Amino acid sequence: MLTLASDNKPFGAKQKKLRESLTLPADSPWAIKITEAIATFVCKDLSPNSIVENEGFKRLVQVLEPHYVMVQRKHLTETVIPMMYTRVKDDILTKMQSAERVAITCDTWTSLSTQSYMTVTSHYIDNEWCLMSHVLQTTEVLTSHNAINIADMLTEAIQEWGLTSKDPAVVTDNAANMVRAVEIMQLMHVGCFAHTLNLASQAGLKIPAVSRLLARARRIATFFHRSTTANHILKEKQKLLQLPAHKLTVNIVTRWNSALDMLECFLEQQPAISATLLSQDVRRNEKDLCTLTEEDVTIAEDLVRVLKPMKEATLAMSEDKQPTLSVIAPLLALLQEALTPSLEDSTVVRDLKAAAKNNLRTRYDAQKDTLYAASALDPHFKALPSLSAKEREDTFSRLQPEAATAACDVKANTGALNSISRGKRALQPAVVVSWHASLIVCPHSCDLLRDHQGICPLD
């Protein structure tokens, strides 16, 4: 064993002592900061806690900070992350208490392991007039998904997060149990507009002629997904025909827009698909597989044209920067106009339009007063061009008393409002009401409506 002349201790022991003296103490500020950063990484990226045991990850941290001792998985799981959760929860609770109104969204879903969960999110305007959103909780659903059980779970969530006094409005899908659950709680309910568009589109896609066309396109796309030979030849044909090297899309039954994506991709790749299916190498194993007929292609082109406004509307309502309740009424008017049959439409297109339009017609009858009020208070739609003269008059008549009350509140709280505004121009009473009335559905962009001002002009 090697020893130093000036010391009887083994050389290896001195090296170990030296390494320990250079190691960051677990309670040092820098070590704590690194540990919290690792916990944040695990939470933000939904990584498993076991990542701290992976050799590659440990090597990465070691290169970045050689003196840091990797946090133990048990300590991360039982101490660090729970402490971080408590700290973040307290911060969110404080922020939501300063909001005048808070809207919540609620949905149930099933994991890949067939476990059922309910997720609740909150949305509100903070003191800087920014839209804030938080995923409050995801809770396993161990009982039947009936309206009473869902109402109980949602009530517990509202109480836990201190939202009872915020008179929350609730956004869910259009499932009967979710709608009934909110009715039991006696809260304002608005059906998710994106889900409403999905239901209307699905109604159109279920007509026999469209279903048959989608089945043919799906069969061909699926064949290319499972045949390595056909997929290889398709890529060669794409290069030869100078087409984008896109993989064919297969639609998902529960997502109507995937049917549109499948048809758009199919039409784009139609020359390459036809050439591939005529190849001897492909036909040797799939003799009865043929591409779409000219009539099928014509119908597919018509369907893409009809369904595009629905997809644009879905995308417009899927933004997350501004409230969107005010957009629903104008957008519904725009879609109703787009789904009105014309003389040039084929029988298939007329049937699809009729099915989708009928599905949309009565969806928001119970909330139309709220939708009209939100649109009237939005500067984009304040003239309410999509409404009749009587509907406009009734809407403004209902808003006048509320606007007068808001004006009195503004005068009584001028000092507080000025401190929030921080030098910005004075807020009109209608705008104050607008922020609260519009804060309900997933946020938006007005680009789609701006592109169709002939049907629903922006004021």
Side-chain angles (χ1 to χ4, degrees):
M1 181 178 292
L2 293 175
T3 59
L4 296 176
S6 59
D7 197 335
N8 292 327
K9 292 184 178 180
F11 181 72
K14 292 186 70 67
Q15 273 196 327
K16 182 179 180 181
K17 187 174 182 180
L18 179 62
R19 284 197 301 269
E20 290 176 352
S21 67
L22 294 175
T23 298
L24 280 173
D27 58 352
S28 68
W30 182 230
I32 292 174
K33 191 170 184 179
I34 294 174
T35 300
E36 289 181 347
I38 292 173
T40 300
F41 163 74
V42 169
C43 297
K44 284 283 188 180
D45 291 355
L46 300 180
S47 298
N49 293 357
S50 60
I51 196 171
V52 298
E53 299 173 344
N54 294 354
E55 290 301 321
F57 184 77
K58 290 196 289 187
R59 174 61 179 163
L60 171 65
V61 176
Q62 182 69 20
V63 170
L64 296 174
E65 177 47 84
H67 306 306
Y68 176 75
V69 178
M70 179 60 67
V71 60
Q72 295 297 308
R73 175 180 176 179
K74 182 177 181 180
H75 181 65
L76 180 73
T77 303
E78 298 179 359
T79 304
V80 180
I81 291 180
M83 287 177 60
M84 179 177 290
Y85 173 81
T86 301
R87 188 164 61 249
V88 172
K89 182 177 181 179
D90 290 343
D91 181 57
I92 292 175
L93 283 168
T94 301
K95 289 179 178 178
M96 289 195 299
Q97 287 306 309
S98 66
E100 183 171 337
R101 292 287 301 277
V102 176
I104 60 176
T105 58
C106 173
D107 193 18
T108 57
W109 52 280
T110 304
S111 68
L112 294 176
S113 57
T114 66
Q115 291 176 294
S116 181
Y117 295 92
M118 185 175 80
T119 298
V120 178
T121 64
S122 68
H123 313 270
Y124 61 94
I125 301 295
D126 68 7
N127 291 336
E128 299 297 325
W129 296 97
C130 295
L131 177 63
M132 304 297 293
S133 298
H134 305 293
V135 178
L136 299 183
Q137 62 186 55
T138 296
T139 309
E140 187 173 4
V141 182
L142 300 174
T143 57
S144 172
H145 287 209
N146 61 47
I148 295 176
N149 291 335
I150 292 175
D152 289 342
M153 291 185 67
L154 192 53
T155 299
E156 289 178 8
I158 290 174
Q159 292 173 348
E160 178 181 349
W161 290 91
L163 301 179
T164 305
S165 63
K166 302 301 179 181
D167 190 20
V170 183
V171 179
T172 70
D173 61 22
N174 296 279
N177 59 338
M178 302 299 286
V179 175
R180 178 58 185 152
V182 181
E183 288 179 354
I184 292 173
M185 299 170 67
Q186 297 183 339
L187 296 176
M188 179 181 179
H189 177 263
V190 178
C192 172
F193 191 61
H195 186 252
T196 298
L197 294 178
N198 179 62
L199 295 177
S201 301
Q202 292 283 10
L205 295 177
K206 286 179 181 177
I207 66 174
V210 176
S211 280
R212 286 193 296 269
L213 174 63
L214 292 177
R216 293 190 196 111
R218 187 187 308 114
R219 183 188 176 199
I220 295 171
T222 303
F223 167 70
F224 278 96
H225 275 253
R226 61 180 172 80
S227 172
T228 55
T229 301
N231 192 48
H232 175 70
I233 297 175
L234 177 65
K235 291 179 180 178
E236 293 181 341
K237 300 301 181 184
Q238 288 173 331
K239 291 180 181 178
L240 184 64
L241 296 170
Q242 297 183 339
L243 292 173
H246 293 159
K247 189 175 181 180
L248 297 186
T249 302
V250 179
N251 71 314
I252 302 172
V253 177
T254 55
R255 299 179 182 177
W256 78 267
N257 53 306
S258 65
L260 175 60
D261 294 338
M262 180 176 70
L263 291 178
E264 285 184 315
C265 185
F266 199 101
L267 293 173
E268 175 193 75
Q269 300 295 328
Q270 171 69 3
I273 293 172
S274 298
T276 302
L277 293 179
L278 291 173
S279 169
Q280 290 299 322
D281 292 335
V282 173
R283 297 194 66 81
R284 187 179 297 116
N285 297 319
E286 293 287 340
K287 296 180 180 179
D288 62 338
L289 190 65
C290 299
T291 187
L292 300 183
T293 64
E294 289 186 12
E295 182 182 2
D296 289 335
V297 171
T298 300
I299 294 175
E301 290 173 342
D302 288 341
L303 293 181
V304 169
R305 174 177 53 83
V306 172
L307 292 174
K308 267 194 172 181
M310 302 288 282
K311 182 177 181 179
E312 291 173 355
T314 301
L315 293 175
M317 295 297 290
S318 299
E319 297 293 334
D320 58 357
K321 300 300 180 184
Q322 300 176 36
T324 51
L325 184 65
S326 60
V327 185
I328 293 180
L331 203 49
L332 272 175
L334 173 65
L335 292 174
Q336 294 280 8
E337 181 70 21
L339 292 173
T340 300
S342 63
L343 296 176
E344 295 79 17
D345 289 340
S346 65
T347 302
V348 175
V349 170
R350 283 199 298 271
D351 290 345
L352 185 148
K353 284 184 174 181
K357 188 173 183 178
N358 288 336
N359 192 281
L360 279 177
R361 181 172 288 118
T362 59
R363 283 290 177 184
Y364 287 96
D365 281 355
Q367 295 95 17
K368 64 180 182 180
D369 288 348
T370 301
L371 300 183
Y372 294 166
S375 296
L377 294 169
D378 189 324
H380 292 99
F381 317 112
K382 61 183 180 182
L384 301 178
S386 60
L387 304 187
S388 66
K390 185 179 186 308
E391 288 173 329
R392 284 195 294 270
E393 182 179 351
D394 292 343
T395 298
F396 287 120
S397 295
R398 287 193 299 271
L399 283 175
Q400 284 175 355
E402 187 174 354
T405 301
C408 294
D409 292 341
V410 169
K411 290 180 180 179
N413 298 282
T414 301
L417 192 58
N418 286 340
S419 66
I420 292 174
S421 300
R422 300 182 186 277
K424 299 177 182 177
R425 70 181 178 86
L427 298 170
Q428 296 298 321
V431 177
V432 176
V433 178
S434 173
W435 278 104
H436 302 308
S438 299
L439 179 61
I440 299 187
V441 182
C442 35
H444 88 96
S445 154
C446 290
D447 293 342
L448 176 64
L449 291 156
R450 189 174 293 108
D451 293 340
H452 298 81
Q453 291 194 61
I455 299 174
C456 188
L458 298 176
D459 184 70

